[in-house]
Amino acid sequence: MTERVPVLRIGDVLLVSIQVDLEDQTVLNLQEDLAEQIVTRAARGVVIDITAVEIVDSFVGRMLATIASISRLLDAETVVVGMRPAVAITLVELGLSLGGVRTALDLEKGLALLRRSAADADRR
């Protein structure tokens, strides 16, 4: 049985804390669950916490970028937080730039980044 990653809600932000090994089907399920919850909960932001992730492969790296693209199309900004140095090095070595994905060192800074973006958008 494939594990599902829980999606939590904090105000208008969805929080995904990945605490399991990311198998391909787990990532595909997360993509689908997250897209559905962005729409049903009218989320403006998504924080994906990968603090517990020690290893990523090219599929997982591409899927993080894909999840951010889907979120952006659904009018929600994505921030990936807690990336370990080894994971960042691996992503660069694989040639994955995670284009369009904003990053922050930790959850607190990721939420602050989303709040600033929302405030900037409200002023326009």
Side-chain angles (χ1 to χ4, degrees):
M1 184 171 147
T2 303
E3 293 187 57
R4 305 236 19 142
V5 178
V7 179
L8 307 174
R9 181 175 162 201
I10 303 172
D12 59 357
V13 173
L14 298 177
L15 172 62
V16 178
S17 181
I18 299 174
Q19 301 291 319
V20 297
D21 290 333
L22 289 174
E23 298 174 6
D24 293 356
Q25 189 59 48
T26 304
V27 175
L28 292 171
N29 290 341
L30 174 60
Q31 176 183 310
E32 185 177 316
D33 293 346
L34 199 50
E36 185 176 314
Q37 292 216 21
I38 288 169
V39 172
T40 58
R41 296 180 175 207
R44 293 181 71 176
V46 175
V47 175
I48 301 175
D49 182 1
I50 61 169
T51 304
V53 175
E54 296 182 12
I55 299 171
V56 295
D57 59 15
S58 61
F59 177 76
V60 172
R62 281 194 311 273
M63 290 311 294
L64 287 173
T66 300
I67 287 171
S69 296
I70 291 169
S71 299
R72 194 170 33 255
L73 286 173
L74 297 172
D75 200 25
E77 184 176 354
T78 300
V79 178
V80 174
V81 303
M83 186 179 301
R84 294 174 181 231
V87 170
I89 291 168
T90 300
L91 291 174
V92 170
E93 288 175 350
L94 292 171
L96 297 171
S97 65
L98 299 183
V101 179
R102 300 181 80 176
T103 59
L105 289 179
D106 55 35
L107 177 59
E108 184 177 345
K109 290 179 181 172
L111 290 171
L113 186 65
L114 288 175
R115 280 193 298 270
R116 280 195 306 272
S117 291
D120 290 345
D122 289 342
R123 277 187 243 142
R124 289 184 218 146

